[in-house]
Amino acid sequence: MYLVAIAADHAGFELKEACKANLTQAGIEVRDFGTHNQNSVDYPDFVHPVAKFLQEHSEYKGILICGSGQGVCITANRYTHIRAALCWEKNIAALARKHNDANVLCLPARFVTPQDSFDIIQTFLTTPFEGGRHQVRIDKIN
């Protein structure tokens, strides 16, 4: 079974819940790192546990959600083993996987619908990394 680590701040809470339901319905196990309600919180408090989890479980992917997607993306990319990509349409998600081997999808809750996010997530989780010339570039990141 495949597992996805997911987290959001208050602005992304509703979208996170919708994404969790969709992933679970698709047979994907979800590890929810919070937040668990719409009370105002600080997004780094939820990003750090996901990044640390993925450091120990590199075979899995992550999904992070905040209002713009920027804050969670910036925070996640502080970790050397994370390649977080802000995606607001499925073509960007496909390129993030094909060319950048992204392992964390960041969604902007204020700019995507739940249906859009399902399409983006499906694309992100099913698109393989192309390797080759792209691997050379990935190797230069760290």
Side-chain angles (χ1 to χ4, degrees):
M1 173 176 261
Y2 196 78
L3 185 141
V4 171
I6 193 167
D9 69 357
H10 55 282
F13 172 73
E14 284 187 26
L15 184 60
K16 176 181 69 82
E17 294 300 302
C19 291
K20 276 178 32 184
N22 182 265
L23 288 164
T24 301
Q25 186 176 17
I28 297 171
E29 183 180 349
V30 179
R31 176 88 44 99
D32 185 350
F33 287 84
T35 190
H36 300 291
N37 57 52
Q38 291 180 310
N39 296 339
S40 183
V41 295
D42 299 327
Y43 57 81
D45 294 339
F46 302 94
V47 174
H48 292 304
V50 169
K52 290 174 183 173
F53 175 81
L54 293 175
Q55 184 173 24
E56 296 174 13
H57 303 281
S58 61
E59 68 273 24
Y60 301 133
K61 301 275 188 294
I63 299 172
L64 299 170
I65 308 168
C66 70
S68 70
Q70 294 287 8
V72 293
C73 193
I74 290 166
T75 305
N77 278 318
R78 304 264 313 160
Y79 290 81
T80 58
H81 64 283
I82 297 292
R83 286 174 308 283
L86 174 58
C87 301
W88 56 93
E89 65 174 35
K90 65 183 186 176
N91 292 330
I92 293 171
L95 287 173
R97 287 289 308 131
K98 287 179 185 180
H99 294 183
N100 308 115
D101 196 21
N103 57 355
V104 174
L105 171 64
C106 299
L107 293 171
R110 293 184 178 130
F111 299 94
V112 296
T113 67
Q115 184 58 53
D116 290 340
S117 69
F118 303 154
D119 295 340
I120 294 165
I121 290 168
Q122 180 180 12
T123 299
F124 187 82
L125 295 179
T126 60
T127 302
F129 176 50
E130 289 180 350
R133 64 189 170 101
H134 302 293
Q135 184 61 56
V136 172
R137 295 169 184 155
I138 297 300
D139 292 342
K140 290 181 178 184
I141 293 174
N142 296 329

